[in-house]
Amino acid sequence: MSEPDAAATEPTAEPTAPAPSAYQLIRRALLHPGRGQVSAAVLLVILGIAGVTQVRLAGSDDEYAGMRQADLVQALNGLQAASRRNEQDIRDLQNTRDSLKDNNDKTAAALKQARDELVTLGILAGTSTATGPGVRITVTVAEDGQLTLNNLLDGIEELRDAGAEAMEINDAVRVVAQTSFETADNGINVDGRVLTAPFVIDAIGDPDSLATALNFPGGFVDDLRPDHAHVGIKKRQKIEVTVLRRAVEPRYAESP
Amino acid sequence: MIAIIGLLVGVALGLFLKPDVPIGMEPYLPIAVVAALDAVFGALRAFLDGLFDDKVFVVSFVSNVFIAALIVFLGDKLGVGAQLSTGVIVVLGIRIFANVAAIRRHVFHA
C-alpha cells in the first residue's frame, strides 16, 4: 500500500538535474501527455465509475442496502427488541381498556338496576304514575245507605291481598302504605281529603284475582249489600293510576 | 491531460450507466474507492516530486484496492468487519492528508 510513498521517496533517473517547479510539471503534463498517462487514465476511469456508484449507493433511500451481515443482525435485534416493547405496551393498554370496559359495564348494570328499583319504588310509594291491567270498582250508595270506613278498609285490604300493585280512589287520592283513613261527616277522609259517594276505586293487578277477592262470600261486596249499596266491578286491560303522592323523607326511621 | 480526461470519462460513465454493484461487493466498494483515492493522491505527489512512474502507479493502485478489500474481507470473516473497515478508512485518510500536504507544499510553497 506504500508504493506511492516509495515512489515519492526513491530517487530516480536524474537526481542531479535542477528540479522543475510544480507549475512547469503540470503545464508539461497537460500539454504534452506522455504514454505513462494512458494507464493512469484507465485506472482513473475505474475510480470515477466506482466513486460515482458509491456516492449513488450511499445516497439511495434504502438504508440497509450497504450494511454487512453483523450490522444487519444488530439492526434486526434492535427492531425485535422494539417490537417486543411495543407488544408489551399493546398488552398493557388492552388490559387497561378491558378493565375500564368491565367497570363501565358494571356501572351500567348498577345504573339499570337502580333505575328499575326507582320505577318499582316509585309505583309503591305513589311518586310515579302506573298503568296496567286491573279493575275499576264503582260503589254507588242508596239514599239511606252509607259506605262505612270499615267497608272501605276491608275492600282495600282484600285488593291488597289479591296482589293490587297501585290503587287510587275517585281519581283524587293515591292509596299507599302511609295512606290514612278517617270517618268524616258525610264521607270518608282519606289522607286529609274528604271523599264522598260514589266511590271509584282503580286498582292495578291481575283483574281476575282482584275481582274474585272482592266477590268472596262474606267479603266486600257481600258486606255492602245490606247497606243498599251497589258495587260494580269492571275488569279492564288498561287501568291508569295517575294521582301522585309526594315522597316524604323519613325523619325517624333509618335502615340499619 | 489524458488522466484528467480519463477521470471525467469515468464519472460520466458512472452517471449514465448506473452500474449495479453485486450484493457481495457492496461493503467493499467504499473501502476500494478510498484506497484508490489514496493511490491517486500518492501518484500526484510523486508526479510533483518529479518521480512519477506509471508502472508504480498501476501497481500501487491495484494493490491498494486489493489489500484494502482483503483486510475488510478478513475482518468480515473474523467478525470485526465494521471495526476493521473503520480502521482502514482512518489509515487511508491520514495518508491522503499527508500526501495532500506535500502537494500543497509543491503548489503553494507553503
Side-chain angles (χ1 to χ4, degrees), chain A residues 137-150:
Chain A
I137 303 141
T138 315
V139 183
T140 42
V141 188
E143 295 267 335
D144 54 342
Q146 176 62 293
L147 178 74
T148 63
L149 180 60
N150 276 336

Side-chain angles (χ1 to χ4, degrees), chain A residues 35-136:
Chain A
R35 251 186 325 110
Q37 279 200 22
V38 176
S39 51
V42 172
L43 291 180
L44 285 173
V45 168
I46 297 171
L47 173 61
I49 295 175
V52 169
T53 306
Q54 175 57 29
V55 168
R56 189 164 53 80
L57 281 183
S60 64
D61 289 337
D62 190 354
E63 62 175 308
Y64 298 114
M67 290 174 78
R68 46 174 53 78
Q69 203 174 347
D71 296 341
L72 286 172
V73 168
Q74 208 168 3
L76 189 62
N77 279 340
L79 289 175
Q80 276 172 344
S83 168
R84 272 197 298 277
R85 276 197 302 278
N86 287 336
E87 274 169 15
Q88 183 63 44
D89 284 353
I90 289 174
R91 271 197 297 279
D92 289 350
L93 290 173
Q94 274 174 343
N95 285 341
T96 310
R97 185 200 63 190
D98 288 348
S99 71
L100 285 174
K101 215 158 119 188
D102 207 31
N103 271 345
N104 204 14
D105 287 351
K106 276 184 194 152
T107 309
L111 196 60
K112 189 179 178 299
Q113 204 179 351
R115 286 211 176 105
D116 290 349
E117 212 162 322
L118 182 67
V119 171
T120 309
L121 292 176
I123 291 172
L124 283 178
T127 54
S128 62
T129 61
T131 46
V135 291
R136 164 163 280 211

Side-chain angles (χ1 to χ4, degrees), chain A residues 171-199:
Chain A
D171 283 332
V173 181
R174 181 79 170 259
V175 181
V176 295
Q178 281 82 16
T179 306
S180 60
F181 297 87
E182 239 179 302
T183 311
D185 284 346
N186 49 355
I188 296 173
N189 183 337
V190 183
D191 269 352
R193 290 198 58 169
V194 177
L195 304 180
T196 54
F199 295 94

Side-chain angles (χ1 to χ4, degrees), chain B residues 33-81:
Chain B
V33 169
V34 175
L37 276 178
D38 172 51
V40 168
F41 280 108
L44 199 55
R45 178 189 178 180
F47 168 72
L48 291 177
D49 284 339
L51 304 170
F52 179 75
D53 182 344
D54 56 334
K55 263 179 285 183
V56 173
F57 174 59
V58 170
V59 171
S60 77
F61 186 98
V62 173
S63 72
N64 244 13
V65 169
F66 179 73
I67 290 171
L70 183 70
I71 289 175
V72 175
F73 173 74
L74 278 177
D76 273 345
K77 289 295 160 201
L78 295 173
V80 288

